[in-house]
């Protein structure tokens, strides 16, 4: 029986860039009070709460973290419960949302050292560590398998970052946006899955992995294909929404191994989506132009759609109709 998990919001402020200590920060966190306070800079272009001149906005969150917070602290609060949810058979997601340069990719994908490892790496390690001897069903014997998929949404295109066949991206020849290497990725399409009425991604690779190392090797392979651009706020800005998913399948045997067959009811499937969204952007601050400017338009539009989905989900029936969700 599927259960709807609540949505929790966490806020993390990254450290200022070197030399940024001269800047008067307009955002402050109160860890104890679990609030973020945004003080207006007097900008009145009408975009976002910080632009309402002379106002302070307090955003309540489940937890807020300042610049000194480590990756492991963030994982303990944000990632670990979701890994445990997936292991117990519940679909779970971690979604990093924020302005470009805010630290989304750092938080989800991480840096290159063990201390800076992001949620993906920690979740993968935890998943395989937690899976040993702990199938979702209370069974005499069970089996556990993991597949991974990795796609990115760029404009209207969903690209399979783990595909073997090649797909020439229309934007590949752009000079301002580049892939990290010359390999091509493959496009997939969104379809209704007649099996259970859910939405499925047709053609998306689901690669079976035996352990954490295999999963991370595929993640690294996909990361190398992500679209990256450069602007004033981030010299290595991911320009597409990246979705790395761990698909779990756990089966329980109805009797000790070798004595009987599998019970078809005893299969539990769950997913853990780890999402690194492309950042919202004020183009006058990022100085974007050309292809990067067009990307910013697409990114901002898709984030607005996400906001509408979130509002539709919170709305009471009938406003929360499937139609309202699908329109987005
Ligand atoms: P976003 O994905 O939100 O556009 P990034 O994750 O690429 O932003 O972060 C922008 C820059 O800030 C990167 O150089 C990243 O390494 C750095 N950074 C982000 N968050 C932190 C953090 N918590 N600690 C140290 N450096 C960070
Ligand atoms: Mg990014």
């Amino acid at each position: 029986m599927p259960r709807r998990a609540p949505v929790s919001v966490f806020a993390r402020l990254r450290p200022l860039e070197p030399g940024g200590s001269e800047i008067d920060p307009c955002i402050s966190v109160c860890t104890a009070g679990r609030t973020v306070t945004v003080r207006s800079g007097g900008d009145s272009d009408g975009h976002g709460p910080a632009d309402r001149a002379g106002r302070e906005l307090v955003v309540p969150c489940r937890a807020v973290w300042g610049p000194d917070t480590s990756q492991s602290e963030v994982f303990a609060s944000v990632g670990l419960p979701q890994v445990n949810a997936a292991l117990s058979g519940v679909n779970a997601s971690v979604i990093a949302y924020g302005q470009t340069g805010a630290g989304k990719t750092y938080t989800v994908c991480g840096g290159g050292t063990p201390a800076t490892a992001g949620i993906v790496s920690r979740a993968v390690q935890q998943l395989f560590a937690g899976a040993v001897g702990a199938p979702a069903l209370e069974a005499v014997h069970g089996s556990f398998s993991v597949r991974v998929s990795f796609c990115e949404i760029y404009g209207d295109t969903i690209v399979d970052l783990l595909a073997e066949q090649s797909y020439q991206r229309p934007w590949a020849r752009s000079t301002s946006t580049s892939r990290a290497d010359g390999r091509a990725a493959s496009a997939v399409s969104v379809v209704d899955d007649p099996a259970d009425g859910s939405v499925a991604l047709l053609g998306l690779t689901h690669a079976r992995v035996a352990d954490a190392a295999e999963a991370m090797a595929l993640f690294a392979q996909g990361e190398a294909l992500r679209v990256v651009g450069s602007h004033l706020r981030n010299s290595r800005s991911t320009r597409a929404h990246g979705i790395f998913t761990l698909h779990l399948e756990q089966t329980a045997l109805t009797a000790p191994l070798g004595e009987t067959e599998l019970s078809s009811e005893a299969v539990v499937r769950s997913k853990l989506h780890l999402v690194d969204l492309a950042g919202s952007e004020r183009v006058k601050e990022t100085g974007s132009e050309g292809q990067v400017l067009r990307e910013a338009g697409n990114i901002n539009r898709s984030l607005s759609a996400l906001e509408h989905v979130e509002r539709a989900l919170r709305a009471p029936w009938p406003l929360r109709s499937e139609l309202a969700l699908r329109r987005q």
Side-chain angles (χ1 to χ4, degrees):
M1 190 69 180
R3 276 183 285 151
R4 191 177 291 281
V7 176
S8 298
V9 178
F10 300 82
R12 180 185 200 185
L13 266 68
R14 74 164 174 80
L16 290 172
E17 281 152 19
S21 53
E22 308 300 314
I23 300 169
D24 177 24
C26 66
I27 297 181
S28 58
V29 298
C30 171
T31 305
R34 296 186 295 175
T35 55
V36 180
T37 304
V38 182
R39 189 163 41 78
S40 168
D43 183 348
S44 58
D45 69 0
H47 289 102
D51 293 331
R52 289 183 207 136
R55 299 237 335 242
E56 285 203 344
L57 180 95
V58 177
V59 185
C61 302
R62 173 90 175 266
V64 299
W65 296 297
D68 299 333
T69 312
S70 68
Q71 295 280 68
S72 66
E73 284 172 84
V74 172
F75 177 73
S77 297
V78 177
L80 188 56
Q82 303 300 71
V83 172
N84 289 337
L87 281 171
S88 66
V90 176
N91 291 336
S93 302
V94 175
I95 302 175
Y97 175 98
Q99 200 175 343
T100 188
K104 300 176 297 297
T105 301
Y106 180 87
T107 299
V108 176
C109 305
T113 64
T116 59
I119 288 175
V120 167
S121 163
R122 292 168 197 272
V124 165
Q125 302 289 344
Q126 184 65 37
L127 190 78
F128 281 97
V132 176
L137 301 181
E138 291 177 7
V140 181
H141 291 283
S143 73
F144 176 82
S145 74
V146 181
R147 291 173 195 274
V148 299
S149 62
F150 196 4
C151 65
E152 70 176 5
I153 305 172
Y154 181 90
D156 289 334
T157 311
I158 302 174
V159 174
D160 185 353
L161 296 171
L162 302 182
E164 286 182 7
Q165 73 274 33
S166 70
Y167 167 77
Q168 190 60 45
R169 293 174 177 188
W171 59 89
R173 266 175 256 111
S174 155
T175 50
S176 54
T177 299
S178 64
R179 290 163 300 156
D181 72 7
R183 274 195 55 204
S186 173
V188 296
S189 49
V190 181
V191 293
D192 288 319
D193 188 341
D196 60 3
S198 66
V199 173
L201 296 180
L202 188 66
L204 185 66
T205 305
H206 287 201
R208 178 97 181 244
V209 290
D211 53 31
E214 275 187 31
M216 288 312 293
L218 289 173
F219 176 70
Q221 178 186 316
E223 269 287 283
L225 284 175
R226 290 192 67 186
V227 181
V228 174
S230 176
H231 54 66
L232 296 178
R233 279 292 167 94
N234 191 350
S235 61
R236 199 177 181 284
S237 172
T238 42
R239 310 299 292 161
H241 310 304
I243 306 173
F244 183 73
T245 305
L246 294 146
H247 305 258
L248 278 60
E249 187 171 297
Q250 302 177 65
T251 57
L253 301 184
T254 51
L257 272 175
E259 286 180 22
T260 188
E261 74 279 37
L262 277 173
S263 159
S264 58
E265 275 105 72
V267 178
V268 174
R269 294 190 183 87
S270 54
K271 287 183 258 187
L272 175 59
H273 296 293
L274 303 173
V275 184
D276 174 26
L277 292 174
S280 60
E281 200 168 301
R282 293 190 210 166
V283 291
K284 70 177 180 190
E285 289 179 14
T286 54
S288 300
E289 48 189 34
Q291 176 78 1
V292 177
L293 179 61
R294 280 189 293 281
E295 286 168 358
N298 281 333
I299 292 167
N300 289 346
R301 257 194 307 282
S302 64
L303 291 172
S304 299
L306 184 67
E307 185 186 334
H308 290 304
V309 168
E310 193 262 339
R311 277 197 199 158
L313 282 170
R314 275 192 291 150
W317 184 263
L319 292 176
R320 200 185 76 190
S321 65
E322 196 175 333
L323 191 65
L325 291 171
R326 277 175 183 263
R327 249 204 314 267
Q328 309 305 333

